Amino acid sequence: MTISMTSSMTKKALWLASLSAAMLMLAGCNNSSAPADSAEVDAASDTPLNIKIATESSYKPFSYTDADGKLIGYEIELVDALCAQMKAECEVISQDWDGLIPGLNAQKFDATIAGMSITPERKEVVEFSDPYFHSGIILIGKKGDDISVEGLEGQPVASQRSTVASQYLQDEHDNADIKLYDTQDNAYLDLTSGRVRAMMSDKVTGIDWLKTEAGKDYEVKGQEISTNDDAMGIAFRKGDPLVAKFNAALAELKANGTYDQITGSYFGTSTTAAAQKATATGSVEQVVVVDEGNVDANAMIAEEEQTEAATN
């Protein structure tokens, strides 16, 4: 009787020990395979960061693709510099605009940079870095057409969906015939085909399009429109420690001159003095504010025109 009970207890102890070991192994596997925690673990340690960043690749000059399908543009160069500053391994992927925030919160990627304005509505669902760019919005129409911001009632006007420009139209000109598009490019196509009479756009992307062959017969109608949602930031999931790392890297790029160099290469200058001079000489109507300085968004156009006039 005693031998039988001892044997039974021994078997039970062995069974419990095996069960405990199996549970520990399972817990270890679950922890190592959680994609949501991978960036946070890297961010809290000294190991190299591996970060996946999404962008929307039809938003020239911020982010777009070249003839070979490679992602290029201002934001791509800025991300490269930020990742180099953090000594991080970064992968930048293209994503449809409407899928950026849902994909971010679904942990398909760790951050998104796509000319995304920092709005109260977006701040409810994501967390933003410090601003890296500021820009207003403009109305674009055909040269010679008397369309104006004040005269949009009943007029077909294009804009990209879920942008500050489209929100402005819906808030301030809901009596217009507003047409919303998944990309800027599709909105431009309907503008040039005559399906819409005008387009409301971010100023920088709109001016960049006006320099193309497709935009040569179009112009800005009236003045730049400034809103309270002009600042652009990099979006992260709420509470992600990567926000602090990106903010520190951005501050360092501004301090060492890299930020000004990248911004200046796309927008002419990032110094307040140069922007004020451009405005004083009448080469631009207004300037675009970039972080702590001003950027002359039309500087490249004015410079090209002056060079052409000097050589003719």
Side-chain angles (χ1 to χ4, degrees):
M1 183 73 172
T2 302
I3 295 174
S4 176
M5 289 179 64
T6 302
S7 175
S8 176
M9 290 174 66
T10 301
K11 290 180 180 179
K12 184 175 181 181
L14 290 171
W15 180 82
L16 288 171
S18 299
L19 179 61
S20 298
M23 291 177 68
L24 287 171
M25 290 178 64
L26 180 61
C29 291
N30 285 341
N31 287 339
S32 64
S33 63
D37 296 335
S38 59
E40 294 181 8
V41 170
D42 286 341
S45 69
D46 293 330
T47 57
L49 288 165
N50 291 288
I51 308 169
K52 182 178 285 188
I53 303 171
T55 189
E56 197 265 334
S57 57
S58 64
Y59 207 58
K60 191 176 181 181
F62 289 99
S63 57
Y64 59 105
T65 54
D66 63 12
D68 297 323
K70 180 183 177 182
L71 280 169
I72 58 175
Y74 169 66
E75 290 174 330
I76 306 304
E77 289 196 30
L78 182 60
V79 161
D80 287 345
L82 288 167
C83 292
Q85 180 65 38
M86 294 184 293
K87 296 180 173 58
E89 294 291 332
C90 295
E91 177 189 4
V92 183
I93 62 171
S94 179
Q95 173 76 38
D96 289 342
W97 172 259
D98 289 343
L100 287 173
I101 289 179
L104 176 63
N105 283 328
Q107 302 177 12
K108 292 182 178 179
F109 30 84
D110 304 301
T112 180
I113 181 169
M116 186 175 288
S117 298
I118 304 171
T119 66
E121 295 79 13
R122 289 174 182 152
K123 287 172 69 175
E124 291 180 2
V125 292
V126 296
E127 188 170 346
F128 283 97
S129 70
D130 293 335
Y132 63 87
F133 202 87
H134 294 249
S135 178
I137 55 179
I138 55 174
L139 183 71
I140 296 174
K142 197 160 189 176
K143 291 179 179 178
D145 189 350
D146 62 357
I147 188 74
S148 67
V149 175
E150 296 76 19
L152 295 180
E153 182 175 357
Q155 299 300 321
V157 184
S159 190
Q160 185 178 9
R161 183 185 298 114
S162 302
T163 61
V164 171
S166 66
Q167 191 62 53
Y168 170 81
L169 278 175
Q170 292 168 321
D171 290 344
E172 303 296 332
H173 299 279
D174 61 349
N175 55 6
D177 182 12
I178 302 170
K179 310 288 188 183
L180 301 181
Y181 299 81
D182 55 345
T183 68
Q184 290 276 114
D185 289 342
N186 286 337
Y188 292 140
L189 286 173
D190 269 13
L191 178 62
T192 55
S193 68
R195 294 189 185 94
V196 294
R197 189 174 174 187
M199 176 177 176
M200 190 70 74
S201 166
D202 171 86
K203 180 179 180 180
V204 174
T205 57
I207 287 176
D208 191 83
W209 180 77
L210 290 174
K211 295 187 292 182
T212 67
E213 181 65 22
K216 65 183 178 62
D217 294 327
Y218 294 82
E219 64 185 359
V220 177
K221 300 295 184 180
Q223 300 292 313
E224 174 186 351
I225 302 163
S226 181
T227 72
N228 293 325
D229 301 321
D230 294 337
M232 299 177 185
I234 306 170
F236 302 85
R237 287 185 289 276
K238 279 185 170 291
D240 195 326
L242 285 176
V243 179
K245 285 191 170 287
F246 271 80
N247 282 342
L250 182 59
E252 183 59 33
L253 294 185
K254 291 173 181 176
N256 65 26
T258 304
Y259 173 85
D260 284 342
Q261 182 180 0
I262 295 172
T263 302
S265 69
Y266 280 88
F267 307 111
T269 179
S270 60
T271 64
T272 302
Q276 290 174 342
K277 179 180 178 181
T279 305
T281 58
S283 60
V284 291
E285 291 181 347
Q286 292 195 25
V287 293
V288 178
V289 180
V290 177
D291 193 63
E292 298 174 350
N294 289 333
V295 164
D296 169 14
N298 290 340
M300 288 187 291
I301 298 178
E303 183 177 350
E304 290 170 2
E305 290 175 348
Q306 292 170 2
T307 302
E308 183 178 354
T311 57
N312 289 339

